[in-house]
Amino acid sequence: MKLRFGTLLCCLVLTSMSLAQDYNFLNGFKYALVSPIVNSGSRDAFGVESKTISALEAIGLRCLKSPNAIDWPDDAQIEPCLIVYITVTEGIAPNSFNCGSVRISIKNCKNELIKDELVKSKNAICSSPYECCFYKWSEASFTYFTKLKYQYNPELNMDRTEYPAVEKIPMTEESIKDYLTNNTLDPIEGIYKSYQREGMPYYKFGIIRQNDKFKAIIFESTLKIWNPGEVKAIFEPSSMLGFYSVRWYRGNKLSVETFGNIEKNAALTIELTNPQTGVKTQDKFIKLFPVSENLVPSKKDNSIASGSGFFLTNNGIIATNAHVIEGASKIEIVISNEIGIFKYKAKVLIVDSKNDVALLQIEDADFKGLSTIPYAIVENCEVGTKVFTIGYPLNDIMGSNFKVTDGIISSKSGISDDIRYYQVTVPLQPGNSGGPLFNNEGSIIGIVSAKLNSKAVGTQVENVNYAIKSSYLLNLYNMLPNTKPLSSSSILAHKDLKDQVKIVKNFVCLINVY
């Protein structure tokens, strides 16, 4: 019978090697990828792969779930030589009680053979060849690996690729602390460490001014290719305080152009894009030094209220709740996108206080308009429809980035059967008011406006929220003189929620009222 080989190892050079007393040969690897070569007609019919994975994880070696690199942790994508490739080949097909041995072959990232052994299965009392082979092969593999004494040591793995050279600045953590203590600082200057997420390498670096730019100088990293003194990033100030154009050197020392921002003089955020998937992530770094009392506090926002809104037209007409802009002497529209954060002056066009709808118009010479509005506004939605909203709830506390929440339409009427409202299970907070309520096709069906107050009804209520139906918005818009037809189609239909959010977030804004 012809062997069916796994996808990871195209060919297998069989040599005769012995484990002897070497129990530590896996210590240079952080991850394992197991691939069975089956002789029984179906993948892992006898549990050899699953038993091998159990053994490896029992000794502390993390097994990757997929051979697809885009599913690997960040450090494995950057440095594939952290992975050891293990192939376990079954013995003969189970047509007798003599199941033979399993062959265990282990290779590194250069496809070089580290181990290649025939492991004999032990005798077992069983009622059928199938049962015997299942037990013998899986137990032989499990026993082989659980005997190893695994402890990850990155110094043992010398199979590294060549990485680009980066600039090196002869400064230490102590010399940078001296600089930070004795100079007037830009908000970004300081000593940072990474805020860890799954698969993210650890970094500690200091950022200081170098001429008209700022450079991040490495102190420590879990990636051994990074040495103290090497430049991890170069920051160039933008026209907006706290935002920087960034040349960022990834874990593999290849550079990308991106942007970053510093919040409250303490948290640095860098936006990065996975080159394989295009998925964007935000790597965060916490400032350790100087401590907060040595920093000049940032200017507090003196707005009296804030809420959310969304664009109806690309020339700057924005919808929101009437109560969001009530009592305003000045209105500021804040738009966040991949380029940066932009603030514009706006005026009130028309208000329907009874139905809690208002339309604003940006009137700012710096506003150049937006691209085509990507969503339609529809008037009908059924109970049970999945919906979501994007807005800026409690932005002083929860941060300046948009927030997404979702739920369903639970009723087509509001308090006391008020037909102007939908009741929704979408969680809302102060600041969500005025944001768009989207259906699952990415069309706007309403404006989120209120949540049921437990004190007002005299009993505890949870997640009972309301949105003004879009028909009241359309009625108000049609009262404007010389209005142009709104977008009648949505480019968001048939997209996943995450893909819809990527598009519509650029058309939802924060509204500050002064």
Side-chain angles (χ1 to χ4, degrees):
M1 182 178 289
K2 191 174 182 179
L3 293 180
R4 182 160 59 89
F5 286 81
T7 57
L8 282 175
L9 302 177
C10 302
C11 58
L12 186 61
V13 179
L14 302 181
T15 62
S16 212
M17 303 177 69
S18 172
L19 178 63
Q21 297 301 314
D22 182 7
Y23 294 115
N24 304 310
F25 64 91
L26 290 180
N27 288 4
F29 301 96
K30 190 174 181 180
Y31 304 100
L33 197 51
V34 178
S35 176
I37 297 179
V38 299
N39 203 5
S40 54
S42 62
R43 180 182 175 94
D44 202 29
F46 302 102
V48 176
E49 179 182 17
S50 56
K51 201 73 171 179
T52 301
I53 290 173
S54 297
L56 292 169
E57 293 186 339
I59 64 173
L61 185 60
R62 179 177 170 183
C63 291
L64 302 177
K65 305 302 182 185
S66 167
N68 192 340
I70 63 175
D71 298 324
W72 297 349
D74 288 357
D75 56 344
Q77 293 185 40
I78 292 167
E79 197 168 354
C81 289
L82 292 173
I83 304 169
V84 63
Y85 298 86
I86 297 174
T87 301
V88 182
T89 307
E90 297 173 359
I92 63 172
N95 54 10
S96 72
F97 287 92
N98 179 19
C99 297
S101 303
V102 291
R103 181 179 293 280
I104 296 176
S105 302
I106 301 173
K107 293 187 176 184
N108 61 18
C109 64
K110 296 181 179 180
N111 207 32
E112 296 169 342
L113 199 63
I114 298 171
K115 292 285 179 180
D116 184 43
E117 300 199 40
L118 287 173
V119 182
K120 292 183 179 180
S121 53
K122 295 181 179 179
N123 293 328
I125 300 174
C126 40
S127 58
S128 70
Y130 186 96
E131 180 185 349
C132 275
C133 291
F134 177 91
Y135 176 82
K136 290 180 180 181
W137 291 340
S138 59
E139 285 301 316
S141 177
F142 184 84
T143 302
Y144 176 88
F145 286 107
T146 51
K147 285 182 178 180
L148 302 181
K149 299 175 182 178
Y150 173 77
Q151 185 173 9
Y152 175 58
N153 182 353
E155 300 298 332
L156 296 179
N157 190 342
M158 304 307 295
D159 295 315
R160 300 291 193 257
T161 55
E162 295 295 325
Y163 298 101
V166 297
E167 181 184 1
K168 190 167 185 178
I169 296 175
M171 294 187 72
T172 64
E173 184 172 354
E174 289 305 315
S175 63
I176 287 180
K177 278 187 176 181
D178 289 341
Y179 165 89
L180 297 171
T181 302
N182 297 302
N183 288 275
T184 302
L185 304 179
D186 183 89
I188 200 172
E189 291 184 282
I191 292 175
Y192 296 80
K193 73 173 182 179
S194 50
Y195 184 82
Q196 294 307 106
R197 59 175 173 79
E198 177 68 19
M200 179 182 176
Y202 168 78
Y203 297 103
K204 185 179 182 182
F205 52 72
I207 299 179
I208 61 170
R209 183 186 293 274
Q210 292 270 292
N211 299 318
D212 60 340
K213 298 178 182 180
F214 302 90
K215 295 182 179 180
I217 302 169
I218 285 283
F219 301 142
E220 303 170 5
S221 175
T222 50
L223 294 181
K224 298 303 180 182
I225 68 169
W226 283 97
N227 299 306
E230 291 183 324
V231 173
K232 175 67 176 169
I234 300 173
F235 299 82
E236 187 171 356
S238 71
S239 59
M240 299 179 64
L241 184 64
F243 278 78
Y244 302 82
S245 173
V246 183
R247 177 177 291 275
W248 184 260
Y249 293 89
R250 293 183 176 274
N252 57 9
K253 294 189 175 180
L254 295 176
S255 67
V256 293
E257 296 292 336
T258 183
F259 63 91
N261 68 289
I262 182 76
E263 297 183 59
K264 298 182 180 179
N265 282 334
L268 174 64
T269 300
I270 306 294
E271 181 165 295
L272 298 171
T273 302
N274 186 305
Q276 282 85 20
T277 65
V279 174
K280 292 183 177 179
T281 59
Q282 291 187 332
D283 284 358
K284 296 184 180 294
F285 303 87
I286 306 302
K287 185 183 286 188
L288 305 176
F289 185 89
V291 292
S292 58
E293 58 265 29
N294 292 340
L295 297 171
V296 179
S298 58
K299 179 181 179 295
K300 292 185 177 180
D301 184 4
N302 61 353
S303 59
I304 61 173
S306 68
S308 302
F310 56 96
F311 281 84
L312 295 180
T313 65
N314 56 8
N315 67 343
I317 295 180
I318 294 169
T320 189
N321 286 138
H323 75 260
V324 169
I325 50 92
E326 185 177 4
S329 59
K330 175 185 173 184
I331 299 174
E332 178 185 69
I333 304 299
V334 183
I335 303 172
S336 301
N337 56 36
E338 289 81 1
I339 302 174
I341 295 180
F342 304 91
K343 300 181 180 181
Y344 303 105
K345 295 179 291 185
K347 66 178 182 180
V348 177
L349 280 181
I350 188 169
V351 176
D352 178 0
S353 297
K354 180 180 178 181
N355 294 310
D356 198 19
V357 182
L359 300 181
L360 312 178
Q361 172 72 63
I362 292 180
E363 51 172 6
D364 196 309
D366 292 334
F367 179 70
K368 306 303 180 184
L370 299 177
S371 57
T372 303
I373 302 298
Y375 40 75
I377 298 178
V378 298
E379 296 187 60
N380 295 309
C381 197
E382 298 301 319
V383 172
T385 299
K386 291 184 178 181
V387 291
F388 70 95
T389 188
I390 299 179
Y392 294 86
L394 298 170
N395 64 299
D396 286 342
I397 299 171
M398 298 175 67
S400 59
N401 292 322
F402 68 87
K403 307 295 186 296
V404 180
T405 51
D406 64 347
I408 63 167
I409 298 288
S410 52
S411 174
K412 296 179 73 171
S413 60
I415 299 174
S416 300
D417 295 323
D418 191 333
I419 62 171
R420 296 175 298 170
Y421 294 90
Y422 291 117
Q423 181 180 322
V424 298
T425 63
V426 178
L428 301 179
Q429 307 298 335
N432 272 123
S433 294
L437 183 67
F438 292 94
N439 64 15
N440 56 354
E441 293 294 312
S443 294
I444 291 176
I445 61 168
I447 306 175
V448 298
S449 59
K451 61 187 301 180
L452 190 59
N453 189 301
S454 296
K455 291 182 179 180
V457 298
T459 187
Q460 182 66 34
V461 294
E462 293 184 2
N463 212 17
V464 179
N465 305 304
Y466 299 98
I468 294 285
K469 292 177 180 177
S470 58
S471 56
Y472 297 93
L473 167 61
L474 292 173
N475 289 341
L476 191 63
Y477 178 78
N478 290 330
M479 293 174 64
L480 294 174
N482 304 318
T483 55
K484 296 180 179 180
L486 298 177
S487 174
S488 60
S489 62
S490 172
I491 68 170
L492 307 172
H494 311 301
K495 293 183 181 293
D496 292 336
L497 176 59
K498 60 179 174 41
D499 295 321
Q500 292 175 337
V501 169
K502 288 178 185 178
I503 296 172
V504 301
K505 66 181 176 60
N506 295 322
F507 297 85
V508 179
C509 57
L510 169 66
I511 300 174
N512 287 324
V513 175
Y514 299 85

